[in-house]
Amino acid sequence: MLAPSKDTARPPQLYLADAGPPPNTAPLSGSLDADVVVIGAGFTGLSAALHLAEAGRKPVLIEAQDIAWGASGRNFGQVVPYTKHSESHVLKTFGPVHGPRLIEATGKAPGLVFDLIEKHGIACSVRRNGLLFAANSEAGLHGLQTRSLFWQERGAPVEMLSRGATASAIGSELYPAAMLDRRGGTLNPVAYAQGLAAAAIRHGATIHTQTRVTGLSPAGSGWTITTAAGSVTAATVVVASDAYTDGFAPQIRKSLIPMRAYQLVSEPLSDNLRATILPQGHALTDTRRLFSGIRLHRDGRLQIGLDGPVFSDGQPYIDKATQRVQRLFPQIGAINWQECWSGWVSMTANHYPQLVRLAPNCLGALGYSGRGIALATLCGHELARHITGTPDTELALPMGVPKPIAVRPFAAPMVGGLMTLYRALDDADDRRLSRAM
């Protein structure tokens, strides 16, 4: 199995070119003291560092590669107001106190992201125009209707679209219905991360890139982070490296399963074509079990999430992705794919994110299951709140301890079998959907 921390591929040129140059940072050299040391310059770590700096702390952030190098910079770019599970599942899993609190916090998480973008003037190609979720099956339609009703009863701008309205919004007659959630949107994840980093620096944070952590050890009541060329001693540590965590925090690595996810982006479509595909500028996801995101960039590039080998850096199923796009948009004809990339999605045993206490004054967050922009920003915010005085009982997520996944050594065959089953079930749903058109 390829180790995520050994991944040498850069984030996609699609994002890097649009994001522009990152803020100036440098590798760590020598010894430093800090209030808080944060490990990982993805959404979680950057959100934590920014919110800590705004609260008057002086965090030092350490990143093994560059800003947004890992999962954050390879994200699909959707800002989603949900976890992977239904609201009823959240309530059953987290109970009457944390269940409603988590639902409310995740529903407001896109607002947290968009407010940070506006407050700090982050240029990240943001579109705050909502997300489309289309019904790929009868079960999927029922789930969307249930979710829509749940949020409508709470005054959220969520609605079910008729077949005609769905066809108009998507530019395809494939789906019988869709849910439009106007709280969500899209952005350039690399540019968003770089904007968070620049804002954190302006507020007093220090960021050291190209600085891999080699050790984490107690130092009095605090901790010392060691690297090849220096060290940082701080009262509190935040481990925010998620699936890309190296050997310095084995508790994190044992409590998640990193899975490979793939994306493709096309050459710009013609003006005539782009006017007929997602014409209202929404990103689209459907209720299939595997990756299904599709979005159209302002320059006419079509982006799609797809699956492939889940534990190695193999070739994704490009032909299958092409067939899906052509089935959804028959007018598109041949597709010239320009760039393909992949990254590691961190999956916890229950597919929920976790706030964890690794040891006294050593905290972490992990497990976003592909919903990293909103959830990771939220978790970084919650960690900062806790460090600055908010008790465990008032956080959006309960603060727990890492829970090792007992079957992790057997993940490859188990997950591989499950993915094969999901592909077969999705294919069966697709055939039924086509017959029903």
Side-chain angles (χ1 to χ4, degrees):
M1 182 186 299
L2 178 65
S5 62
K6 305 301 181 185
D7 194 343
T8 59
R10 290 171 59 81
Q13 187 63 26
L14 173 73
Y15 295 156
L16 292 170
D18 182 57
N24 290 327
T25 59
L28 174 67
S29 178
S31 298
L32 298 177
D33 292 322
D35 297 336
V36 183
V37 60
V38 179
I39 303 172
F43 301 136
T44 306
L46 293 167
S47 175
L50 173 56
H51 286 103
L52 285 166
E54 288 184 314
R57 302 299 177 93
K58 299 295 183 184
V60 171
L61 190 151
I62 304 295
E63 165 57 44
Q65 300 282 355
D66 293 315
I67 293 164
W69 179 272
S72 295
R74 302 153 203 268
N75 190 286
F76 184 72
Q78 290 190 122
V79 188
V80 184
Y82 313 114
T83 66
K84 293 290 279 189
H85 294 291
S86 68
E87 287 72 22
S88 61
H89 193 283
V90 176
L91 293 171
K92 182 178 179 181
T93 302
F94 290 92
V97 175
H98 271 103
R101 189 179 297 167
L102 177 57
I103 290 171
E104 180 182 9
T106 54
K108 292 180 177 178
L112 172 64
V113 171
F114 297 133
D115 288 348
L116 288 171
I117 291 169
E118 182 176 0
K119 177 180 179 180
H120 298 289
I122 300 174
C124 57
S125 302
V126 63
R127 277 186 173 179
R128 191 177 184 176
N129 60 342
L131 298 172
L132 284 169
F133 300 87
N136 192 56
S137 63
E138 286 295 327
L141 176 59
H142 176 71
L144 292 177
Q145 290 170 332
T146 301
R147 170 163 280 172
S148 179
L149 180 61
F150 178 93
W151 285 107
Q152 286 171 358
E153 290 174 344
R154 288 154 180 80
V158 181
E159 61 182 296
M160 289 297 300
L161 304 181
S162 66
R163 178 181 283 275
T166 297
S168 295
I170 297 175
S172 171
E173 297 182 354
L174 181 64
Y175 297 106
M179 183 184 75
L180 174 60
D181 192 323
R182 299 185 186 279
R183 295 173 296 176
T186 57
L187 50 73
N188 176 333
V190 170
Y192 172 57
Q194 290 182 177
L196 292 177
I201 292 170
R202 287 196 301 270
H203 283 79
T206 301
I207 298 179
H208 292 288
T209 53
Q210 296 297 318
T211 302
R212 185 174 297 277
V213 173
T214 57
L216 170 61
S217 58
S221 60
W223 296 86
T224 294
I225 301 297
T226 54
T227 72
S231 64
V232 183
T233 299
T236 305
V237 172
V238 171
V239 179
S241 40
D242 204 15
Y244 290 76
T245 302
D246 235 332
F248 65 87
Q251 309 100 305
I252 296 285
R253 298 177 68 185
K254 292 177 181 178
S255 59
L256 57 80
I257 296 175
M259 296 174 56
R260 202 78 168 165
Y262 300 82
Q263 294 176 59
L264 284 171
V265 66
S266 74
E267 292 182 350
L269 305 180
S270 68
D271 290 344
N272 289 339
L273 269 179
R274 71 179 71 170
T276 69
I277 294 174
L278 298 169
Q280 299 171 28
H282 304 114
L284 168 68
T285 304
D286 70 15
T287 56
R288 70 184 59 233
R289 296 159 185 85
L290 297 180
F291 305 103
S292 67
I294 296 177
R295 59 183 292 204
L296 188 69
H297 291 266
R298 286 189 173 93
D299 66 356
R301 298 174 197 271
L302 189 71
Q303 182 179 344
I304 180 171
L306 68 159
D307 64 298
V310 292
F311 295 116
S312 63
D313 193 12
Q315 288 297 312
Y317 306 136
I318 295 176
D319 289 345
K320 189 173 180 180
T322 301
Q323 292 167 10
R324 179 173 174 240
V325 172
Q326 291 173 334
R327 177 168 159 266
L328 182 57
F329 304 113
Q331 71 273 29
I332 202 168
I335 307 173
N336 296 316
W337 297 113
Q338 185 176 59
E339 186 177 17
C340 177
W341 68 91
S342 59
W344 293 94
V345 177
S346 64
M347 309 294 286
T348 55
N350 62 5
H351 293 186
Y352 282 109
Q354 297 177 11
L355 298 179
V356 294
R357 180 173 284 106
L358 306 176
N361 300 320
C362 185
L363 310 174
L366 65 144
Y368 304 114
S369 302
R371 302 291 174 88
I373 296 177
L375 288 179
T377 302
L378 170 65
C379 284
H381 176 256
E382 293 300 283
L383 289 171
R385 289 180 64 218
H386 184 56
I387 291 168
T388 55
T390 301
D392 292 9
T393 54
E394 296 181 18
L395 299 177
L397 276 162
M399 180 71 70
V401 296
K403 298 177 181 178
I405 298 177
V407 299
R408 192 175 185 276
F410 314 103
M414 292 178 64
V415 174
L418 190 62
M419 295 287 281
T420 299
L421 172 62
Y422 283 171
R423 290 183 191 112
L425 292 173
D426 281 343
D427 288 345
D429 286 340
D430 285 345
R431 289 192 293 271
R432 283 191 290 269
L433 194 64
S434 294
R435 289 195 297 269
M437 287 181 61

